[in-house]
Amino acid sequence: MEAEEAKDRLLAISEELGHEIRVFMNSPNSAAPNETPPHDEEPDDFYDFTPEDYFRLMGDRIGAQSQVLKTRKIREAEAAARRARITKAVIRVRFPDNYVFEAKFQPSDKIQSLIDLLTKAIARPNVPFYLYTTPPKERIKDTSKDFYSAGFAPGAIVYFSYDLPKDSELNSEALTGPYLREDIRSLNGLELPSKQEQADPANSQPEAPVIEAPPPASDPNPAPKKPTKPKWLKL
């Protein structure tokens, strides 16, 4: 019963915000965004230039030349085909307290629509904030771009930060969180039911079985066929 009520809350908040959302927490032990995983050192012969490297390099060069020779219309048609295959943009916003806010958009939606959505979802909408990507850390300044043009489709992870001067009185309070609204944080780990689950099986009536009429009974004593005289037979 409680699980059903929680999913109803998630559905209601998604309808309020106008987007399908999901909230979950990242492990605090996960690697920092600017850290790179360690790797073993390569042996000395790894950097030797081999015949395979030569042919691969030549193949890449020929491929690059073919791209240059393509007409503008062909390149535009290929780009349109690639874009048509991407039907959604799933954006995850990671907050400093390890909460992750996920929302689904159309690839043609503007990044400003994400800013507008977050303004409704955060606990302090009156405090200025910005989004950035990493690594390297790069602030998202042009919010007029659509998600596809910005490289955020079919999905991307961005990071949230308040935009306050270091000597601001709100800075120390804002850095401690919470960042999301309390009712949205309570949705942690919940997912919207699928369309089939949303349909109420009690209201769906089974289809009436189709009863086929039996074939007509054959006559057990069929009438004998009248013999016919061939045309060539003359009496």
Side-chain angles (χ1 to χ4, degrees):
M1 187 65 180
E2 293 181 358
E4 292 298 326
E5 292 178 355
K7 288 186 177 181
D8 290 341
R9 291 201 314 272
L10 174 59
L11 183 60
I13 292 178
S14 295
E15 292 177 351
E16 173 202 343
L17 299 177
H19 291 272
E20 184 178 336
I21 68 167
R22 190 164 71 97
V23 180
F24 58 94
M25 288 196 71
N26 262 357
S27 171
N29 296 326
S30 59
N34 58 350
E35 291 180 355
T36 56
H39 58 83
D40 297 331
E41 292 186 0
E42 304 292 351
D44 294 337
D45 58 357
F46 177 81
Y47 300 99
D48 292 342
F49 193 75
T50 64
E52 290 79 6
D53 295 331
Y54 171 78
F55 288 114
R56 183 169 59 250
L57 180 61
M58 293 301 298
D60 294 341
R61 183 173 299 177
I62 293 173
Q65 290 176 351
S66 64
Q67 291 291 331
V68 174
L69 295 175
K70 283 183 178 180
T71 64
R72 180 179 177 182
K73 289 185 178 180
I74 293 178
R75 290 196 300 269
E76 291 177 351
E78 291 177 347
R82 287 193 299 270
R83 181 163 187 162
R85 287 194 293 267
I86 300 177
T87 58
K88 63 182 177 181
V90 181
I91 309 300
R92 291 181 175 181
V93 182
R94 183 168 178 174
F95 290 85
D97 57 358
N98 288 320
Y99 271 96
V100 178
F101 180 83
E102 178 184 287
K104 293 183 178 179
F105 297 86
Q106 295 297 321
S108 57
D109 290 342
K110 307 296 184 184
I111 298 178
Q112 183 61 44
S113 62
L114 174 61
I115 301 294
D116 297 338
L117 175 61
L118 289 174
T119 303
K120 301 176 184 178
I122 57 178
R124 299 182 178 91
N126 58 323
V127 179
F129 66 91
Y130 67 92
L131 301 175
Y132 64 93
T133 57
T134 187
K137 184 175 181 179
E138 183 177 353
R139 183 167 176 165
I140 301 174
K141 297 179 180 179
D142 187 1
T143 59
S144 64
K145 280 186 176 181
D146 60 70
F147 290 110
Y148 182 86
S149 301
F152 292 170
I157 299 176
V158 298
Y159 297 83
F160 177 96
S161 177
Y162 282 118
D163 193 9
L164 294 171
K166 293 182 179 180
D167 56 351
S168 173
E169 296 179 358
L170 293 174
N171 201 19
S172 58
E173 180 183 355
L175 288 176
T176 59
Y179 296 88
L180 289 168
R181 285 167 23 187
E182 182 179 358
D183 57 340
I184 293 180
R185 296 197 310 275
S186 68
L187 305 176
N188 180 26
L190 297 177
E191 294 189 21
L192 283 175
S194 63
K195 292 183 179 179
Q196 291 182 348
E197 293 175 344
Q198 291 181 22
D200 187 2
N203 296 333
S204 58
Q205 298 183 2
E207 297 181 358
V210 178
I211 302 176
E212 297 182 357
S218 59
D219 191 354
N221 299 317
K225 294 183 179 180
K226 185 178 180 180
T228 58
K229 182 178 67 174
K231 293 182 179 181
W232 53 270
L233 182 60
K234 294 182 181 181
L235 299 177

